[in-house]
Amino acid sequence: MTRIRIRPPWYLPESLATPEEVFVNRRTFLKQAAVAAGGAMLLPSIGCAQDTTRTGPLDGVEKYPGEITRNRAYDAGRPLTKDTVAAGFNNFYEFHTDKERVWKLVDKFQTKPWSLKIDGACKNKGDFDLDDILKRFPQEERVYRFRCVETWSMTVPWIGFPLKALIEWAEPTDAAKYVSFLTAWKPKEMPTLGGFRDEFPYYEGLRLDEAMNELTLCATGMYGRKMPKQNGAPLRIIAPWKYGYKSPKSIVAIAFTENLPGTFWNDYAPNEYGFFSNVNPGRAHPRWSQAKEWRIPNEGEKHDTELFNGYGEQVAEMYKGMDLIRYH
Ligand SMILES: Nc1nc2c(c(=O)[nH]1)N[C@H]1C(S)=C(S)[C@@H](COP(=O)(O)O)O[C@H]1N2
Ligand SMILES: [Mo]
């Protein structure tokens, strides 16, 4: 299969990686080439070796430090998903494409210390220690509906702070029109089982006004705990009016760009959805309808999908006059 790979314009893997990581990347690539030539039967044994001895998806996940208050302005209007369900059913292809196995494969993933790069069209560029950054922004809890393009949904009390606050701190210049997110790619710590591998790192993007919308969160925890690794520790984005893949996990760099940044799924499957990927019951996926959704765990009951996942009051203004079927 040939694919067009369009990296974000600022994407320079070697400048973001330590020399060791670059080396490991190449070695992994060579090893894979050998596996591809010699037969794929080596892969299952790698998978077994990585499985955890923890007995549940939240075992060992620390309580969130300090006092966190729920922001009552965001009420999802439906019951919360059980914590172990939301932490035990994940899309995080750097680990596995099997959603129920991701949490079992994250033990080797190191999320502390963590460096966040701020780059591109902004004044406050640099490499920052995440803990230092987090001290600047008060954290709160918000209950959001979350809808994956695959039609499952969940309702989660995230802990985090508005991305807007971080953007204001970074001071984008007038040239900044978009925000691009690059996520972690640590091949020694991420087993990439189930089919994807050479496609990483994962990257996403938002238009600057979307990134600065009051709903867009930098999430650092959930259910009163620090973010579980399988849900995107230590920092991920949550944009709840968009399909779940617009909420990148384990972010290592944020860059302000003048041009529309590439995204992992737009580059991999350009026929599916476009850059916006707003939840829309009227715009079907090429292979399935989006009119209905179901909640995890799947109890068989379906619910109507709402435009913008029910967040029109907060976001519709940004798309005024735009044909939402054409610009999906
Ligand atoms: N780095 C990275 N981020 C990612 C993904 C991924 O595979 N890798 N999957 C996306 C998809 S498709 C969804 S639905 C959500 C799932 O988040 P959750 O596991 O916390 O429910 O993460 C998104 N962010
Ligand atoms: Mo998703």
Side-chain angles (χ1 to χ4, degrees), residues 91 148-150 152 244-245:
N91 274 334
C148 173
V149 72
E150 298 161 333
W152 57 266
Y245 56 83

Side-chain angles (χ1 to χ4, degrees), residues 1-6 195-199 267-270:
M1 200 194 323
T2 44
R3 283 176 215 128
I4 311 159
R5 308 295 306 152
I6 310 157
F196 285 78
R197 189 166 306 200
D198 299 334
E199 293 78 4
D267 291 343
Y268 184 76

Side-chain angles (χ1 to χ4, degrees), residues 86 89-94 146-150 152 154 158 183-184 200 202-203 222 227 230-232 236 238 243-250 264-265:
F89 182 94
N90 306 100
N91 274 334
F92 205 162
Y93 281 11
E94 289 85 333
F146 186 90
R147 169 65 152 78
C148 173
V149 72
E150 298 161 333
W152 57 266
M154 60 181 182
W158 303 106
T183 80
F200 300 122
Y202 190 96
Y203 47 100
M222 62 193 251
M227 190 65 80
Q230 63 270 25
N231 293 90
R236 72 172 303 176
I238 296 291
Y243 292 120
Y245 56 83
K246 298 291 295 184
S247 292
K249 293 175 168 181
S250 306
F264 183 93
W265 284 110

Side-chain angles (χ1 to χ4, degrees), residues 8-10 119-122 172-180 206-208 255-262 275:
W10 54 278
D119 207 353
C122 67
T173 63
D174 289 344
K177 299 286 180 289
Y178 299 92
V179 186
S180 179
L206 293 169
R207 210 169 58 189
L208 188 60
F256 297 90
T257 70
E258 196 166 350
N259 300 313
L260 189 82
F275 179 79

